[in-house]
mmCIF file of all heavy atoms in Angstrom:
data_model
loop_
_atom_site.group_PDB
_atom_site.id
_atom_site.type_symbol
_atom_site.label_atom_id
_atom_site.label_comp_id
_atom_site.label_asym_id
_atom_site.label_seq_id
_atom_site.Cartn_x
_atom_site.Cartn_y
_atom_site.Cartn_z
ATOM 1 N N SER X 266 -10.122 4.737 6.583
ATOM 2 C CA SER X 266 -9.509 4.284 7.788
ATOM 3 C C SER X 266 -9.548 5.382 8.803
ATOM 4 O O SER X 266 -9.880 5.157 10.032
ATOM 5 C CB SER X 266 -8.079 3.808 7.590
ATOM 6 O OG SER X 266 -7.237 4.812 7.128
ATOM 7 N N CYS X 267 -9.333 6.617 8.429
ATOM 8 C CA CYS X 267 -9.422 7.764 9.377
ATOM 9 C C CYS X 267 -10.879 8.073 9.805
ATOM 10 O O CYS X 267 -11.088 8.341 10.900
ATOM 11 C CB CYS X 267 -8.692 8.977 8.718
ATOM 12 S SG CYS X 267 -6.971 8.918 8.709
ATOM 13 N N ARG X 268 -11.722 7.986 8.843
ATOM 14 C CA ARG X 268 -13.147 8.312 9.168
ATOM 15 C C ARG X 268 -13.710 7.291 10.174
ATOM 16 O O ARG X 268 -14.372 7.640 11.074
ATOM 17 C CB ARG X 268 -13.999 8.309 7.864
ATOM 18 C CG ARG X 268 -15.368 8.823 7.984
ATOM 19 C CD ARG X 268 -16.091 8.910 6.694
ATOM 20 N NE ARG X 268 -15.391 9.834 5.781
ATOM 21 C CZ ARG X 268 -15.631 11.132 5.712
ATOM 22 N NH1 ARG X 268 -16.455 11.760 6.603
ATOM 23 N NH2 ARG X 268 -14.958 11.920 4.858
ATOM 24 N N SER X 269 -13.379 6.025 9.890
ATOM 25 C CA SER X 269 -13.915 4.975 10.867
ATOM 26 C C SER X 269 -13.254 5.035 12.231
ATOM 27 O O SER X 269 -13.900 4.791 13.231
ATOM 28 C CB SER X 269 -13.647 3.552 10.251
ATOM 29 O OG SER X 269 -12.271 3.251 10.254
ATOM 30 N N ALA X 270 -11.935 5.466 12.256
ATOM 31 C CA ALA X 270 -11.371 5.717 13.541
ATOM 32 C C ALA X 270 -11.931 6.833 14.357
ATOM 33 O O ALA X 270 -12.117 6.725 15.570
ATOM 34 C CB ALA X 270 -9.803 5.983 13.358
ATOM 35 N N ARG X 271 -12.373 7.896 13.622
ATOM 36 C CA ARG X 271 -13.013 9.005 14.341
ATOM 37 C C ARG X 271 -14.491 8.676 14.714
ATOM 38 O O ARG X 271 -14.898 9.006 15.842
ATOM 39 C CB ARG X 271 -12.970 10.221 13.430
ATOM 40 C CG ARG X 271 -13.552 11.483 14.042
ATOM 41 C CD ARG X 271 -13.680 12.566 13.087
ATOM 42 N NE ARG X 271 -14.773 12.290 12.039
ATOM 43 C CZ ARG X 271 -15.123 13.097 11.091
ATOM 44 N NH1 ARG X 271 -14.385 14.288 10.869
ATOM 45 N NH2 ARG X 271 -16.021 12.704 10.219
ATOM 46 N N ASP X 272 -15.233 8.095 13.773
ATOM 47 C CA ASP X 272 -16.674 7.968 13.988
ATOM 48 C C ASP X 272 -17.083 6.558 14.534
ATOM 49 O O ASP X 272 -18.192 6.475 14.974
ATOM 50 C CB ASP X 272 -17.385 8.157 12.568
ATOM 51 C CG ASP X 272 -17.102 9.554 12.025
ATOM 52 O OD1 ASP X 272 -16.745 10.479 12.738
ATOM 53 O OD2 ASP X 272 -17.333 9.751 10.837
ATOM 54 N N GLY X 273 -16.259 5.567 14.395
ATOM 55 C CA GLY X 273 -16.609 4.303 14.893
ATOM 56 C C GLY X 273 -17.468 3.523 13.868
ATOM 57 O O GLY X 273 -17.944 2.438 14.281
ATOM 58 N N ASN X 274 -17.697 4.062 12.695
ATOM 59 C CA ASN X 274 -18.439 3.325 11.733
ATOM 60 C C ASN X 274 -18.149 3.958 10.301
ATOM 61 O O ASN X 274 -17.582 5.062 10.212
ATOM 62 C CB ASN X 274 -19.886 3.410 12.033
ATOM 63 C CG ASN X 274 -20.504 4.746 12.020
ATOM 64 O OD1 ASN X 274 -20.552 5.464 11.003
ATOM 65 N ND2 ASN X 274 -21.003 5.188 13.243
ATOM 66 N N LEU X 275 -18.603 3.306 9.336
ATOM 67 C CA LEU X 275 -18.575 3.827 7.926
ATOM 68 C C LEU X 275 -20.023 3.668 7.260
ATOM 69 O O LEU X 275 -20.628 2.590 7.365
ATOM 70 C CB LEU X 275 -17.634 2.911 7.051
ATOM 71 C CG LEU X 275 -16.141 3.244 7.345
ATOM 72 C CD1 LEU X 275 -15.274 2.213 6.559
ATOM 73 C CD2 LEU X 275 -15.661 4.604 6.970
ATOM 74 N N VAL X 276 -20.485 4.742 6.725
ATOM 75 C CA VAL X 276 -21.755 4.864 6.045
ATOM 76 C C VAL X 276 -21.408 5.318 4.611
ATOM 77 O O VAL X 276 -20.875 6.422 4.429
ATOM 78 C CB VAL X 276 -22.682 5.788 6.731
ATOM 79 C CG1 VAL X 276 -23.999 5.824 6.029
ATOM 80 C CG2 VAL X 276 -22.925 5.424 8.179
ATOM 81 N N PHE X 277 -21.748 4.536 3.612
ATOM 82 C CA PHE X 277 -21.314 4.748 2.296
ATOM 83 C C PHE X 277 -22.337 5.573 1.506
ATOM 84 O O PHE X 277 -21.942 6.262 0.514
ATOM 85 C CB PHE X 277 -21.080 3.467 1.580
ATOM 86 C CG PHE X 277 -19.879 2.705 2.171
ATOM 87 C CD1 PHE X 277 -20.098 1.660 3.055
ATOM 88 C CD2 PHE X 277 -18.594 3.064 1.832
ATOM 89 C CE1 PHE X 277 -18.966 1.002 3.649
ATOM 90 C CE2 PHE X 277 -17.522 2.430 2.392
ATOM 91 C CZ PHE X 277 -17.697 1.399 3.271
ATOM 92 N N SER X 278 -23.545 5.635 1.871
ATOM 93 C CA SER X 278 -24.617 6.486 1.229
ATOM 94 C C SER X 278 -25.808 6.551 2.080
ATOM 95 O O SER X 278 -25.894 5.748 3.139
ATOM 96 C CB SER X 278 -24.971 5.948 -0.190
ATOM 97 O OG SER X 278 -25.744 4.788 0.021
ATOM 98 N N LEU X 279 -26.777 7.373 1.690
ATOM 99 C CA LEU X 279 -27.984 7.427 2.488
ATOM 100 C C LEU X 279 -28.819 6.163 2.448
ATOM 101 O O LEU X 279 -29.620 5.840 3.348
ATOM 102 C CB LEU X 279 -28.889 8.602 1.959
ATOM 103 C CG LEU X 279 -28.373 10.015 2.208
ATOM 104 C CD1 LEU X 279 -29.225 11.008 1.548
ATOM 105 C CD2 LEU X 279 -28.195 10.324 3.726
ATOM 106 N N SER X 280 -28.602 5.327 1.434
ATOM 107 C CA SER X 280 -29.262 4.015 1.213
ATOM 108 C C SER X 280 -28.512 2.927 1.919
ATOM 109 O O SER X 280 -29.027 1.791 2.014
ATOM 110 C CB SER X 280 -29.466 3.722 -0.216
ATOM 111 O OG SER X 280 -28.157 3.486 -0.836
ATOM 112 N N SER X 281 -27.405 3.169 2.525
ATOM 113 C CA SER X 281 -26.590 2.131 3.103
ATOM 114 C C SER X 281 -26.641 2.193 4.643
ATOM 115 O O SER X 281 -26.626 3.309 5.227
ATOM 116 C CB SER X 281 -25.103 2.301 2.734
ATOM 117 O OG SER X 281 -24.254 1.487 3.520
ATOM 118 N N ARG X 282 -26.670 1.019 5.310
ATOM 119 C CA ARG X 282 -26.633 1.030 6.675
ATOM 120 C C ARG X 282 -25.189 1.232 7.202
ATOM 121 O O ARG X 282 -24.218 1.039 6.498
ATOM 122 C CB ARG X 282 -27.063 -0.355 7.186
ATOM 123 C CG ARG X 282 -26.229 -1.547 6.676
ATOM 124 C CD ARG X 282 -26.650 -2.904 7.107
ATOM 125 N NE ARG X 282 -26.812 -3.013 8.569
ATOM 126 C CZ ARG X 282 -25.651 -3.205 9.355
ATOM 127 N NH1 ARG X 282 -24.493 -3.220 8.861
ATOM 128 N NH2 ARG X 282 -25.864 -3.255 10.638
ATOM 129 N N PRO X 283 -25.087 1.739 8.496
ATOM 130 C CA PRO X 283 -23.749 1.885 9.046
ATOM 131 C C PRO X 283 -23.032 0.577 9.297
ATOM 132 O O PRO X 283 -23.660 -0.407 9.728
ATOM 133 C CB PRO X 283 -23.988 2.691 10.321
ATOM 134 C CG PRO X 283 -25.306 2.382 10.723
ATOM 135 C CD PRO X 283 -26.100 2.144 9.442
ATOM 136 N N PHE X 284 -21.690 0.517 9.070
ATOM 137 C CA PHE X 284 -20.932 -0.650 9.355
ATOM 138 C C PHE X 284 -19.941 -0.241 10.462
ATOM 139 O O PHE X 284 -19.108 0.675 10.318
ATOM 140 C CB PHE X 284 -20.140 -1.195 8.157
ATOM 141 C CG PHE X 284 -20.946 -1.697 7.029
ATOM 142 C CD1 PHE X 284 -21.259 -0.873 5.917
ATOM 143 C CD2 PHE X 284 -21.560 -2.925 7.096
ATOM 144 C CE1 PHE X 284 -22.113 -1.337 4.877
ATOM 145 C CE2 PHE X 284 -22.373 -3.437 6.048
ATOM 146 C CZ PHE X 284 -22.564 -2.595 4.893
ATOM 147 N N ASN X 285 -20.096 -0.964 11.593
ATOM 148 C CA ASN X 285 -19.299 -0.536 12.756
ATOM 149 C C ASN X 285 -17.900 -1.088 12.769
ATOM 150 O O ASN X 285 -17.719 -2.276 12.838
ATOM 151 C CB ASN X 285 -20.116 -1.060 14.061
ATOM 152 C CG ASN X 285 -21.371 -0.398 14.257
ATOM 153 O OD1 ASN X 285 -21.573 0.820 13.929
ATOM 154 N ND2 ASN X 285 -22.385 -1.121 14.803
ATOM 155 N N ILE X 286 -16.974 -0.198 12.631
ATOM 156 C CA ILE X 286 -15.564 -0.508 12.616
ATOM 157 C C ILE X 286 -14.773 0.759 13.096
ATOM 158 O O ILE X 286 -15.024 1.819 12.641
ATOM 159 C CB ILE X 286 -15.027 -0.955 11.282
ATOM 160 C CG1 ILE X 286 -13.548 -1.207 11.384
ATOM 161 C CG2 ILE X 286 -15.427 -0.043 10.157
ATOM 162 C CD1 ILE X 286 -12.903 -1.727 10.051
ATOM 163 N N ARG X 287 -13.960 0.588 14.081
ATOM 164 C CA ARG X 287 -13.106 1.698 14.483
ATOM 165 C C ARG X 287 -11.658 1.290 14.179
ATOM 166 O O ARG X 287 -10.933 0.635 14.959
ATOM 167 C CB ARG X 287 -13.277 1.911 16.038
ATOM 168 C CG ARG X 287 -12.620 3.275 16.472
ATOM 169 C CD ARG X 287 -12.925 3.590 17.874
ATOM 170 N NE ARG X 287 -14.292 3.784 18.257
ATOM 171 C CZ ARG X 287 -14.958 5.013 18.009
ATOM 172 N NH1 ARG X 287 -14.288 6.040 17.505
ATOM 173 N NH2 ARG X 287 -16.240 5.125 18.267
ATOM 174 N N CYS X 288 -11.300 1.634 13.001
ATOM 175 C CA CYS X 288 -10.045 1.127 12.418
ATOM 176 C C CYS X 288 -8.806 1.591 13.183
ATOM 177 O O CYS X 288 -8.672 2.817 13.517
ATOM 178 C CB CYS X 288 -9.915 1.638 10.976
ATOM 179 S SG CYS X 288 -8.490 1.021 10.091
ATOM 180 N N ASP X 289 -7.950 0.641 13.537
ATOM 181 C CA ASP X 289 -6.711 1.010 14.237
ATOM 182 C C ASP X 289 -5.510 0.492 13.413
ATOM 183 O O ASP X 289 -4.363 0.637 13.912
ATOM 184 C CB ASP X 289 -6.644 0.435 15.750
ATOM 185 C CG ASP X 289 -6.823 -1.105 15.744
ATOM 186 O OD1 ASP X 289 -6.518 -1.820 14.697
ATOM 187 O OD2 ASP X 289 -7.211 -1.588 16.814
ATOM 188 N N SER X 290 -5.739 -0.093 12.306
ATOM 189 C CA SER X 290 -4.567 -0.566 11.395
ATOM 190 C C SER X 290 -5.028 -0.674 9.960
ATOM 191 O O SER X 290 -6.215 -1.055 9.654
ATOM 192 C CB SER X 290 -4.057 -1.906 11.977
ATOM 193 O OG SER X 290 -2.973 -2.273 11.236
ATOM 194 N N LEU X 291 -4.208 -0.321 9.123
ATOM 195 C CA LEU X 291 -4.394 -0.393 7.688
ATOM 196 C C LEU X 291 -3.349 -1.360 7.171
ATOM 197 O O LEU X 291 -2.134 -1.091 7.288
ATOM 198 C CB LEU X 291 -4.204 0.924 6.942
ATOM 199 C CG LEU X 291 -4.552 1.025 5.496
ATOM 200 C CD1 LEU X 291 -5.931 0.599 5.137
ATOM 201 C CD2 LEU X 291 -4.205 2.411 5.004
ATOM 202 N N GLU X 292 -3.712 -2.576 6.584
ATOM 203 C CA GLU X 292 -2.788 -3.636 6.295
ATOM 204 C C GLU X 292 -3.021 -4.172 4.852
ATOM 205 O O GLU X 292 -4.075 -4.145 4.356
ATOM 206 C CB GLU X 292 -2.962 -4.766 7.298
ATOM 207 C CG GLU X 292 -2.688 -4.384 8.733
ATOM 208 C CD GLU X 292 -2.850 -5.519 9.702
ATOM 209 O OE1 GLU X 292 -2.919 -6.747 9.218
ATOM 210 O OE2 GLU X 292 -2.810 -5.335 10.939
ATOM 211 N N SER X 293 -1.876 -4.557 4.292
ATOM 212 C CA SER X 293 -1.913 -5.234 3.012
ATOM 213 C C SER X 293 -2.315 -6.669 3.188
ATOM 214 O O SER X 293 -1.920 -7.322 4.103
ATOM 215 C CB SER X 293 -0.508 -5.108 2.330
ATOM 216 O OG SER X 293 -0.459 -5.882 1.157
ATOM 217 N N GLY X 294 -3.115 -7.177 2.225
ATOM 218 C CA GLY X 294 -3.508 -8.602 2.278
ATOM 219 C C GLY X 294 -4.239 -8.984 1.011
ATOM 220 O O GLY X 294 -4.437 -8.206 0.093
ATOM 221 N N ARG X 295 -4.596 -10.243 0.974
ATOM 222 C CA ARG X 295 -5.279 -10.804 -0.190
ATOM 223 C C ARG X 295 -6.382 -11.701 0.484
ATOM 224 O O ARG X 295 -6.121 -12.749 0.969
ATOM 225 C CB ARG X 295 -4.447 -11.598 -1.107
ATOM 226 C CG ARG X 295 -3.547 -10.724 -1.927
ATOM 227 C CD ARG X 295 -2.758 -11.549 -2.925
ATOM 228 N NE ARG X 295 -3.576 -12.080 -3.964
ATOM 229 C CZ ARG X 295 -3.858 -11.442 -5.111
ATOM 230 N NH1 ARG X 295 -3.381 -10.215 -5.383
ATOM 231 N NH2 ARG X 295 -4.623 -12.041 -6.028
ATOM 232 N N LEU X 296 -7.707 -11.287 0.252
ATOM 233 C CA LEU X 296 -8.809 -12.082 0.689
ATOM 234 C C LEU X 296 -8.821 -13.388 -0.204
ATOM 235 O O LEU X 296 -9.019 -14.500 0.352
ATOM 236 C CB LEU X 296 -10.160 -11.285 0.463
ATOM 237 C CG LEU X 296 -11.393 -12.004 0.908
ATOM 238 C CD1 LEU X 296 -11.363 -12.466 2.325
ATOM 239 C CD2 LEU X 296 -12.648 -11.238 0.595
ATOM 240 N N PHE X 297 -8.639 -13.203 -1.486
ATOM 241 C CA PHE X 297 -8.452 -14.317 -2.362
ATOM 242 C C PHE X 297 -6.950 -14.574 -2.761
ATOM 243 O O PHE X 297 -6.439 -13.630 -3.437
ATOM 244 C CB PHE X 297 -9.333 -14.090 -3.596
ATOM 245 C CG PHE X 297 -10.761 -13.665 -3.279
ATOM 246 C CD1 PHE X 297 -11.180 -12.387 -3.412
ATOM 247 C CD2 PHE X 297 -11.627 -14.662 -2.837
ATOM 248 C CE1 PHE X 297 -12.473 -11.948 -3.158
ATOM 249 C CE2 PHE X 297 -12.977 -14.271 -2.521
ATOM 250 C CZ PHE X 297 -13.385 -12.962 -2.689
ATOM 251 N N PRO X 298 -6.353 -15.584 -2.344
ATOM 252 C CA PRO X 298 -4.913 -15.724 -2.631
ATOM 253 C C PRO X 298 -4.550 -15.600 -4.077
ATOM 254 O O PRO X 298 -3.492 -15.085 -4.448
ATOM 255 C CB PRO X 298 -4.591 -17.136 -2.111
ATOM 256 C CG PRO X 298 -5.669 -17.380 -1.051
ATOM 257 C CD PRO X 298 -6.894 -16.724 -1.561
ATOM 258 N N LYS X 299 -5.378 -16.084 -4.978
ATOM 259 C CA LYS X 299 -5.114 -15.970 -6.371
ATOM 260 C C LYS X 299 -6.343 -15.421 -7.176
ATOM 261 O O LYS X 299 -6.868 -14.440 -6.681
ATOM 262 C CB LYS X 299 -4.724 -17.304 -6.979
ATOM 263 C CG LYS X 299 -3.386 -17.927 -6.405
ATOM 264 C CD LYS X 299 -2.980 -19.171 -7.000
ATOM 265 C CE LYS X 299 -1.615 -19.647 -6.416
ATOM 266 N NZ LYS X 299 -1.227 -20.918 -6.962
ATOM 267 N N LYS X 300 -6.790 -16.021 -8.236
ATOM 268 C CA LYS X 300 -7.974 -15.470 -8.897
ATOM 269 C C LYS X 300 -9.254 -16.119 -8.584
ATOM 270 O O LYS X 300 -10.322 -15.639 -8.940
ATOM 271 C CB LYS X 300 -7.679 -15.538 -10.460
ATOM 272 C CG LYS X 300 -6.441 -14.816 -10.878
ATOM 273 C CD LYS X 300 -6.604 -13.317 -10.846
ATOM 274 C CE LYS X 300 -7.461 -12.788 -11.946
ATOM 275 N NZ LYS X 300 -7.468 -11.299 -11.931
ATOM 276 N N ASN X 301 -9.183 -17.248 -7.945
ATOM 277 C CA ASN X 301 -10.376 -18.067 -7.598
ATOM 278 C C ASN X 301 -11.088 -17.451 -6.501
ATOM 279 O O ASN X 301 -10.682 -17.458 -5.266
ATOM 280 C CB ASN X 301 -9.952 -19.528 -7.308
ATOM 281 C CG ASN X 301 -11.176 -20.523 -7.244
ATOM 282 O OD1 ASN X 301 -12.321 -20.073 -7.055
ATOM 283 N ND2 ASN X 301 -10.900 -21.832 -7.305
ATOM 284 N N THR X 302 -12.280 -16.967 -6.658
ATOM 285 C CA THR X 302 -13.103 -16.322 -5.611
ATOM 286 C C THR X 302 -13.783 -17.258 -4.734
ATOM 287 O O THR X 302 -14.499 -16.898 -3.778
ATOM 288 C CB THR X 302 -14.057 -15.302 -6.196
ATOM 289 O OG1 THR X 302 -14.950 -15.990 -7.089
ATOM 290 C CG2 THR X 302 -13.396 -14.193 -6.938
ATOM 291 N N SER X 303 -13.582 -18.586 -4.975
ATOM 292 C CA SER X 303 -14.224 -19.589 -4.017
ATOM 293 C C SER X 303 -13.151 -20.024 -3.001
ATOM 294 O O SER X 303 -13.516 -20.754 -2.062
ATOM 295 C CB SER X 303 -14.625 -20.833 -4.832
ATOM 296 O OG SER X 303 -15.621 -20.441 -5.723
ATOM 297 N N VAL X 304 -11.963 -19.538 -3.116
ATOM 298 C CA VAL X 304 -10.864 -19.947 -2.178
ATOM 299 C C VAL X 304 -10.493 -18.773 -1.347
ATOM 300 O O VAL X 304 -9.927 -17.779 -1.813
ATOM 301 C CB VAL X 304 -9.588 -20.469 -2.891
ATOM 302 C CG1 VAL X 304 -8.544 -20.829 -1.891
ATOM 303 C CG2 VAL X 304 -10.031 -21.631 -3.816
ATOM 304 N N TYR X 305 -10.871 -18.768 0.005
ATOM 305 C CA TYR X 305 -10.632 -17.656 0.926
ATOM 306 C C TYR X 305 -10.871 -18.224 2.363
ATOM 307 O O TYR X 305 -11.406 -19.270 2.529
ATOM 308 C CB TYR X 305 -11.499 -16.481 0.600
ATOM 309 C CG TYR X 305 -13.011 -16.755 0.631
ATOM 310 C CD1 TYR X 305 -13.696 -16.626 1.848
ATOM 311 C CD2 TYR X 305 -13.663 -17.252 -0.462
ATOM 312 C CE1 TYR X 305 -15.079 -16.917 1.831
ATOM 313 C CE2 TYR X 305 -14.999 -17.532 -0.418
ATOM 314 C CZ TYR X 305 -15.688 -17.338 0.688
ATOM 315 O OH TYR X 305 -17.009 -17.646 0.780
ATOM 316 N N ASP X 306 -10.438 -17.409 3.312
ATOM 317 C CA ASP X 306 -10.600 -17.740 4.715
ATOM 318 C C ASP X 306 -10.975 -16.567 5.531
ATOM 319 O O ASP X 306 -10.100 -15.714 5.832
ATOM 320 C CB ASP X 306 -9.338 -18.402 5.239
ATOM 321 C CG ASP X 306 -9.475 -18.954 6.714
ATOM 322 O OD1 ASP X 306 -10.556 -18.797 7.261
ATOM 323 O OD2 ASP X 306 -8.505 -19.547 7.194
ATOM 324 N N LEU X 307 -12.289 -16.435 5.774
ATOM 325 C CA LEU X 307 -12.717 -15.241 6.558
ATOM 326 C C LEU X 307 -12.278 -15.209 7.980
ATOM 327 O O LEU X 307 -12.227 -14.135 8.616
ATOM 328 C CB LEU X 307 -14.299 -15.242 6.520
ATOM 329 C CG LEU X 307 -14.995 -15.086 5.158
ATOM 330 C CD1 LEU X 307 -16.485 -14.935 5.361
ATOM 331 C CD2 LEU X 307 -14.438 -13.887 4.386
ATOM 332 N N THR X 308 -11.871 -16.370 8.561
ATOM 333 C CA THR X 308 -11.499 -16.434 9.972
ATOM 334 C C THR X 308 -10.178 -15.695 10.140
ATOM 335 O O THR X 308 -9.857 -15.303 11.336
ATOM 336 C CB THR X 308 -11.358 -17.890 10.414
ATOM 337 O OG1 THR X 308 -10.276 -18.497 9.726
ATOM 338 C CG2 THR X 308 -12.642 -18.614 10.225
ATOM 339 N N LYS X 309 -9.437 -15.480 9.065
ATOM 340 C CA LYS X 309 -8.157 -14.738 9.261
ATOM 341 C C LYS X 309 -8.321 -13.254 9.282
ATOM 342 O O LYS X 309 -7.319 -12.567 9.552
ATOM 343 C CB LYS X 309 -7.246 -15.080 8.070
ATOM 344 C CG LYS X 309 -6.785 -16.522 8.024
ATOM 345 C CD LYS X 309 -5.799 -16.828 6.886
ATOM 346 C CE LYS X 309 -5.308 -18.279 6.974
ATOM 347 N NZ LYS X 309 -4.389 -18.581 5.842
ATOM 348 N N LEU X 310 -9.565 -12.761 9.035
ATOM 349 C CA LEU X 310 -9.720 -11.304 9.030
ATOM 350 C C LEU X 310 -9.885 -10.755 10.516
ATOM 351 O O LEU X 310 -10.695 -11.205 11.293
ATOM 352 C CB LEU X 310 -11.036 -11.006 8.262
ATOM 353 C CG LEU X 310 -10.991 -11.347 6.782
ATOM 354 C CD1 LEU X 310 -12.278 -10.845 6.159
ATOM 355 C CD2 LEU X 310 -9.776 -10.906 6.054
ATOM 356 N N LYS X 311 -9.063 -9.822 10.827
ATOM 357 C CA LYS X 311 -9.075 -9.210 12.124
ATOM 358 C C LYS X 311 -10.118 -8.046 12.156
ATOM 359 O O LYS X 311 -10.247 -7.342 11.121
ATOM 360 C CB LYS X 311 -7.683 -8.653 12.499
ATOM 361 C CG LYS X 311 -6.650 -9.775 12.708
ATOM 362 C CD LYS X 311 -5.327 -9.162 13.015
ATOM 363 C CE LYS X 311 -4.637 -8.508 11.781
ATOM 364 N NZ LYS X 311 -3.211 -8.110 11.989
#
Side-chain angles (χ1 to χ4, degrees):
S266 60
C267 286
R268 190 176 298 276
S269 69
R271 183 190 68 181
D272 300 341
N274 62 62
L275 287 172
V276 181
F277 294 98
S278 73
L279 292 176
S280 66
S281 169
R282 59 181 304 282
F284 294 102
N285 294 325
I286 175 174
R287 193 174 295 277
C288 183
D289 59 21
S290 183
L291 182 63
E292 300 181 11
S293 172
R295 288 185 68 88
L296 180 61
F297 308 105
K299 297 184 179 179
K300 301 290 286 186
N301 189 343
T302 58
S303 296
V304 179
Y305 58 93
D306 185 357
L307 298 184
T308 64
K309 293 183 178 180
L310 301 185
K311 296 176 286 187

